[in-house]
Amino acid sequence: MASLNEQKPDSSPSTLNGGEELVESHDIEKQPSQPAATDSLSKTLTQTIAPDLEQNVSRTATAPTIQGPKFPETDLDQGLVGWDGQDDPENPQNFAPSKKWALLALISAFTFLSPLASSMFSPAVVFMAEEFHQTNETILAFTVSIYLVGYVFGPLILAPLSEIYGRRVVLSGANWFFVVWQIGCALAKNIETLIVCRLFAGIGGSACITLGAGVVADLFPTELRGMATSIWSMGPLIGPVVGPIAGGFLGEEVSWQWIFWLLLIAGGAMQIGIELLNKETYAPVLIKWKTAKLAKELGRADLKSAYDLGSEPLSNSQLLRRSLIRPALLLFKSPIVLLLSIYMSLVYGLLYLFFTTISDVFTSTYGFSVGLSGLAYLGIGIGFFGGLVFIALTNDRIVQKLTAQNKGKFEPEMRLPTMIIFACILPISFFWYGWTADKHVHWIVPIIGMFPFGVGMMGVFMPIQTYIIDCYPAYAASANATLTATRSLVGAFLPLAGPAMFDSLGLGWGNSLLGFLALAFVPIPIIFTKYGKQIREKWPVNL
């Protein structure tokens, strides 16, 4: 397996500090030996996903490569500290596959829980409104969507911090922050307190959504990132669908407060496991620790991290300032990040507009109970799962084939061709669901009509996320923070206009308007597939 991790089509020692080409250099410093618990988890994961992974590995073993050192190595004569050779086992890119997938699974588990919390409260809002005597529909919708406002602010702070202090400590602190604020939500005595607590819970819950992209870049070579991103993306895309199903029954049978108690219990138990098993994966931070350790042991003040080679020395405050503005720089200086952020925001907003109508349509039009109305979300959920499986099984293979056709040279745009097809599938649901619900066709028909949206959304989101990681691997967390913040902003506020729009246009024309809007954005993946490389090279981002 070590030979696989050495195969990489796009990096060289001269580009270790700059922008795009720091592809596989998020490597790890020496860590204590892996606990027995991690070994157990690794074995379990290996047994469940090993066949597919091993097929991927064997295919990759013959993939075209460009020879040459990829990771900076220690050269004490020059005062540089890096890895102890290209095969250094402490480098996360050289970890055993079972260990890599185990670490990713830890992040993915919490990444499922946090988005679950975003929508789990949605069907139980009616019970909270009764208790707090609240009738304003916009305020009630805001108690749900305010959680996503936390997703706007959290990533912009947490992602840069992870690139200074490392993934592990930032993820740990933010996850506990998420868990603690569930207590405030459960004990809230008025709607104002509930809104504030939901906001802070969202800020903490955004860490796993944001840092997952960085962990993928830290651990996996280009040819395995499609599969890795697919596994990590299950939480953010499936969680909001499972949430209403569980929340509807829990709110109806017990109480709306128990939604938050359940999140507290599950989040706390999960985070304890993460504390015990998780490892730091960000190479520059780990080599910085290694440099400090060697400087102390050898009594040398001249030692410098190889990841700092060619960069001016910065104080902690200067480094923090530069890191905090990095997501904004990526948004406004990179047309790639800007346009794809707009497209993802639109699709994400459409998802939450869907959510504003589903519960009401199936309770008022089809006579479902609040609990049963949550099952209507299965149409989108099954679509998500179908799209995820397809992308997971095909994306890396397509990249390998296109790389071979390109004489062994990988280009990030190779992630995008299938996205064109999915972008065309996505609008179908709005016409299908909207008009069948409007005409009161049998309830199974609008539920099936949601399936194409789920498939299309997954087929759009996952290639974009992997593409952004491949374009800016050194700053994958910050780039993903930009995507997360912009789409969450739209997802938080666009649905507030949903009730008024559907009251005015009806379900048929209201959803058709959304469908036409989705169709208008289909050219974006076509443009990036054809001209993405020229755009990327014409507007490079120096961070």
Side-chain angles (χ1 to χ4, degrees):
M1 296 304 170
S3 61
L4 166 64
N5 293 321
E6 290 173 9
Q7 294 175 356
K8 178 144 178 23
D10 54 358
S11 59
S12 66
S14 62
T15 56
L16 290 170
N17 288 311
E20 299 177 15
E21 296 300 326
L22 186 55
V23 174
E24 299 307 332
S25 57
H26 305 294
D27 322 321
I28 286 193
E29 194 222 351
K30 294 187 177 181
Q31 296 286 334
S33 60
Q34 191 178 1
T38 307
D39 291 333
S40 175
L41 177 60
S42 299
K43 289 177 183 176
T44 302
L45 288 167
T46 304
Q47 289 170 359
T48 55
I49 64 176
D52 285 341
L53 295 183
E54 291 304 322
Q55 288 175 15
N56 249 329
V57 169
S58 64
R59 284 192 301 269
T60 305
T62 59
T65 63
I66 292 178
Q67 300 300 323
K70 307 185 304 282
F71 312 117
E73 298 182 13
T74 297
D75 185 349
L76 293 180
D77 292 338
Q78 299 294 323
L80 294 177
V81 179
W83 300 110
D84 298 335
Q86 295 298 300
D87 296 323
D88 188 345
E90 301 302 327
N91 182 339
Q93 291 282 329
N94 295 331
F95 281 178
S98 59
K99 184 174 181 179
K100 289 185 180 185
W101 296 105
L103 290 173
L104 183 65
L106 289 173
I107 308 298
S108 300
F110 213 97
T111 306
F112 170 77
L113 184 65
S114 175
L116 183 80
S118 72
S119 61
M120 195 173 182
F121 181 55
S122 179
V125 164
V126 291
F127 304 115
M128 179 274 293
E130 230 176 83
E131 184 173 326
F132 291 158
H133 309 292
Q134 180 60 247
T135 57
N136 188 311
E137 287 190 8
T138 302
I139 299 267
L140 293 176
F142 194 57
T143 60
V144 177
S145 62
I146 187 64
Y147 186 87
L148 292 180
V149 177
Y151 276 20
V152 175
F153 296 108
L156 300 178
I157 300 170
L158 299 175
L161 288 177
S162 79
E163 290 163 358
I164 298 174
Y165 302 108
R167 317 289 192 205
R168 191 181 188 281
V169 64
V170 175
L171 181 68
S172 177
N175 284 356
W176 283 120
F177 194 75
F178 163 84
V179 170
V180 167
W181 283 103
Q182 303 306 320
I183 300 174
C185 293
L187 298 178
K189 299 302 181 185
N190 54 63
I191 201 165
E192 293 83 5
T193 303
L194 180 61
I195 287 174
V196 170
C197 292
R198 288 269 292 167
L199 171 64
F200 285 116
I203 290 174
S206 69
C208 51
I209 306 292
T210 307
L211 305 187
V215 173
V216 169
D218 294 344
L219 292 173
F220 295 94
T222 303
E223 60 269 14
L224 289 180
R225 283 182 187 158
M227 175 70 76
T229 304
S230 300
I231 292 174
W232 167 65
S233 296
M234 289 179 67
L237 295 175
I238 295 179
V241 176
V242 176
I245 299 173
F249 285 111
L250 195 60
E252 187 176 55
E253 299 298 328
V254 189
S255 71
W256 64 267
Q257 287 93 343
W258 260 98
I259 292 173
F260 300 110
W261 290 125
L262 181 62
L263 290 170
L264 170 70
I265 295 167
M270 202 172 292
Q271 184 53 31
I272 290 172
I274 291 176
E275 292 288 356
L276 295 174
L277 302 174
N278 199 16
K279 301 290 183 183
E280 180 55 60
T281 61
Y282 190 51
V285 167
L286 290 162
I287 295 299
K288 182 174 71 173
W289 295 348
K290 183 177 181 180
T291 302
K293 181 180 177 182
L294 281 176
K296 183 177 180 180
E297 289 176 352
L298 301 176
R300 291 182 57 174
D302 63 317
L303 295 183
K304 184 176 183 180
S305 167
Y307 287 97
D308 294 334
L309 185 62
S311 62
E312 74 229 49
L314 298 174
S315 66
N316 285 340
S317 60
Q318 289 173 320
L319 189 60
L320 182 60
R321 194 180 311 116
R322 175 179 289 186
S323 297
L324 289 175
I325 65 172
R326 188 175 292 139
L329 290 177
L330 281 166
L331 181 64
F332 295 112
K333 294 181 71 174
S334 169
I336 290 174
V337 175
L338 176 63
L339 291 176
L340 292 180
S341 292
I342 292 172
Y343 186 42
M344 288 187 78
S345 298
L346 167 74
V347 175
Y348 203 66
L350 294 178
L351 171 69
Y352 277 86
L353 275 170
F354 243 146
F355 285 175
T356 64
T357 66
I358 291 174
S359 185
D360 182 60
V361 164
F362 284 90
T363 52
S364 61
T365 302
Y366 295 104
F368 284 26
S369 67
V370 173
L372 285 176
S373 68
L375 294 176
Y377 292 83
L378 284 174
I380 294 179
I382 295 171
F384 280 165
F385 186 76
L388 182 145
V389 170
F390 182 85
I391 292 294
L393 295 178
T394 62
N395 193 253
D396 288 330
R397 298 182 189 184
I398 291 171
V399 167
Q400 292 167 22
K401 183 176 180 180
L402 293 176
T403 301
Q405 293 174 355
N406 197 35
K407 299 179 180 179
K409 185 179 180 182
F410 167 76
E411 300 288 353
E413 289 71 29
M414 294 173 182
R415 298 285 182 191
L416 303 180
T418 56
M419 194 171 79
I420 300 171
I421 300 172
F422 288 105
C424 295
I425 292 174
L426 192 147
I428 294 172
S429 286
F430 294 102
F431 303 104
W432 184 339
Y433 164 78
W435 287 108
T436 54
D438 185 77
K439 302 303 179 185
H440 299 183
V441 180
H442 188 274
W443 56 265
I444 194 63
V445 180
I447 290 178
I448 295 173
M450 300 177 204
F451 178 82
F453 180 85
V455 172
M457 184 173 174
M458 189 67 78
V460 165
F461 265 44
M462 288 199 299
I464 288 177
Q465 288 178 319
T466 313
Y467 175 61
I468 289 295
I469 293 172
D470 288 336
C471 285
Y472 305 104
Y475 306 110
S478 286
N480 189 63
T482 306
L483 297 178
T484 303
T486 51
R487 75 172 185 250
S488 298
L489 184 65
V490 175
F493 292 105
L494 186 60
L496 299 181
M501 181 184 74
F502 289 113
D503 284 344
S504 176
L505 298 177
L507 284 172
W509 283 113
N511 280 286
S512 294
L513 176 63
L514 301 179
F516 288 127
L517 189 59
L519 280 172
F521 278 80
V522 168
I524 286 185
I526 298 175
I527 291 170
F528 273 98
T529 300
K530 191 168 184 179
Y531 302 109
K533 181 180 178 181
Q534 292 93 312
I535 295 172
R536 183 164 44 87
E537 293 176 348
K538 187 173 181 179
W539 286 282
V541 180
N542 183 14
L543 299 175

